[in-house]
Amino acid sequence: MRKTVIAGNWKMHMTCASAKEYMDTFIPLSKEFPSDRHIVVAPPFTAISTLASLLKGTQINISSQNVHWEIDGAFTAEISPPMLLEHNVRYAIVGHSEPRKYFSESDEQINLRARSAQASGLIPIVCVGESIEQRERGEAERVIRRQVEQGLEQTELSNLVIAYEPIWAIGTGKTCEANEANRICGLIRQWVGFPDLLIQYGGSVKPSNIDEIMSKSDIDGVLVGGASLDAKNFARIANYQIK
Ligand code: PGA
C-alpha cells in the first residue's frame, strides 16, 4: 500500500509569530487525523527552527521549500542539506513552478537538488507540470514526461514524492478536473515504471475538492498552497474523507 502525503507549502508567507499562532490551532486539530497519512508543512526558512520546537512529539513533519546540491560553499541565498537536517527537516520541495519560472530553474538543477536531498536523508518532493499554453498546444504529456525523466535521473524512486502541479491551476482557483489529474498521475507512474511511486496532485486544492481528489486511484496525496495558510482549512484537507 502506498502511503499518503498531505503537504502544505506556505511559500513566502508566515513570520515566526504567525507560524506559532497557526500551530496553536493546528496541533490540537492534528490529534484527530487518521494515522494512515503523513502531514507535512513547508514554512519559509526563517520559521523552520520555531516549527521544529513546536512540532516535537507531533505527527507533523517539516519540509523545506528548496535545497542546494552542495554541503556548503559560495552559493548566496541557497540552503544546504545539513542546515535543514539540524532542524529536523524531513522533506525538501524541489522544482516548484515558481522557481522554475522566476529563477529559470532547469531540470538538471532540479535533479541535482533531488539527488543531494536523498543522499543526505531528506525526501525530495519533485514538482512537475505544464503551462496553459503547453496544454492548449497538446504538449502537456511530452513536457511532463521530460520533467519527470530528467528530474528523477539517478534518484532512488522509493524515497521521493512527485507532485503533479499544472501551472494553470496554481493559485488560480482553477483545479484540474480530478479524473484528468488522476490520468496524468497514472501516466507518470507508467513512464517511471515503479508501481509504488508516490504522486501528489497540486493546484487550487481546498476543503471543497479534497475528498474527490483523494478518492482517485493514482493520487497519493496533495501539495497545497493558498488553502494551507489557514490552519482550519488545512486541517480539513488533512482530514479528507473517502466515501
Ligand atoms: P495553490 O498552490 O494550492 O495555492 O494553488 C499549490 C502550490 O503552488 O504548490
Side-chain angles (χ1 to χ4, degrees), residues 2 7 9-10 38 73 112 124 139-140 147 156 170 199 209 225 239:
R2 300 191 301 265
N9 173 12
W10 288 358
H38 290 239
L112 285 173
E139 294 169 2
Q147 291 174 339
E156 212 183 293
I170 296 179
I199 310 178
N209 59 25
N239 229 337

Side-chain angles (χ1 to χ4, degrees), residues 140-155:
E141 291 177 21
R142 190 178 54 77
V143 167
I144 300 163
R145 186 166 189 167
R146 189 205 66 224
Q147 291 174 339
V148 168
E149 287 178 353
Q150 295 187 2
L152 265 50
E153 210 171 290
Q154 290 182 54
T155 58

Side-chain angles (χ1 to χ4, degrees), residues 9 11 96 98 165 169-172 202-205 223-227:
N9 173 12
K11 308 191 180 185
H96 190 277
E98 285 149 15
E165 299 203 300
I170 296 179
T172 58
S204 298
V205 174
L223 181 55
V224 190

Side-chain angles (χ1 to χ4, degrees), residues 3-236:
K3 69 179 181 186
T4 300
V5 184
I6 305 292
N9 173 12
W10 288 358
K11 308 191 180 185
M12 199 173 70
H13 296 281
M14 300 271 192
T15 58
C16 292
S18 42
K20 173 160 187 325
E21 220 175 282
Y22 182 105
M23 286 303 164
D24 286 345
T25 304
F26 191 72
I27 292 172
L29 294 172
S30 74
K31 303 207 166 97
E32 308 301 320
F33 299 162
S35 57
D36 63 347
R37 45 203 79 173
H38 290 239
I39 310 299
V40 181
V41 287
F45 296 137
T46 47
I48 285 179
S49 157
T50 300
L51 284 194
S53 328
L54 292 172
L55 297 179
K56 257 189 211 134
T58 72
Q59 67 169 110
I60 308 158
N61 299 285
I62 304 173
S63 173
S64 65
Q65 295 179 19
N66 196 9
V67 65
H68 197 260
W69 51 88
E70 294 291 345
I71 296 301
D72 53 24
F75 299 100
T76 301
E78 290 284 340
I79 195 142
S80 78
M83 295 168 185
L84 298 168
L85 289 164
E86 196 177 30
H87 296 286
N88 294 331
V89 173
R90 280 203 65 200
Y91 291 81
I93 297 174
V94 300
H96 190 277
S97 65
E98 285 149 15
R100 281 186 195 262
K101 175 175 167 197
Y102 299 124
F103 306 113
S104 308
E105 282 262 305
S106 66
D107 288 319
E108 290 72 20
Q109 288 169 317
I110 290 156
N111 175 250
L112 285 173
R113 294 186 191 281
R115 282 160 52 185
S116 139
Q118 285 191 330
S120 14
L122 292 163
I123 303 169
I125 299 177
V126 183
C127 305
V128 298
E130 80 286 1
S131 67
I132 191 64
E133 295 78 17
Q134 289 164 333
R135 178 161 280 261
E136 283 170 359
R137 286 199 298 264
E139 294 169 2
E141 291 177 21
R142 190 178 54 77
V143 167
I144 300 163
R145 186 166 189 167
R146 189 205 66 224
Q147 291 174 339
V148 168
E149 287 178 353
Q150 295 187 2
L152 265 50
E153 210 171 290
Q154 290 182 54
T155 58
E156 212 183 293
L157 298 173
S158 58
N159 191 34
L160 59 79
V161 180
I162 283 271
Y164 168 55
E165 299 203 300
I167 298 169
W168 47 272
I170 296 179
T172 58
K174 287 187 209 151
T175 321
C176 179
E177 209 269 311
N179 283 332
E180 173 60 7
N182 192 51
R183 185 183 75 83
I184 299 281
C185 292
L187 277 177
I188 294 174
R189 181 165 287 114
Q190 205 179 303
W191 294 329
V192 172
F194 180 58
D196 290 339
L197 187 69
L198 292 182
I199 310 178
Q200 294 176 314
Y201 166 76
S204 298
V205 174
K206 41 195 176 246
S208 58
N209 59 25
I210 184 67
D211 296 346
E212 190 191 2
I213 292 168
M214 288 309 298
S215 70
K216 299 296 169 192
S217 58
D218 274 304
I219 300 180
D220 306 315
V222 284
L223 181 55
V224 190
S228 73
L229 294 173
D230 178 274
K232 286 189 183 143
N233 278 345
F234 191 48
R236 170 63 184 88

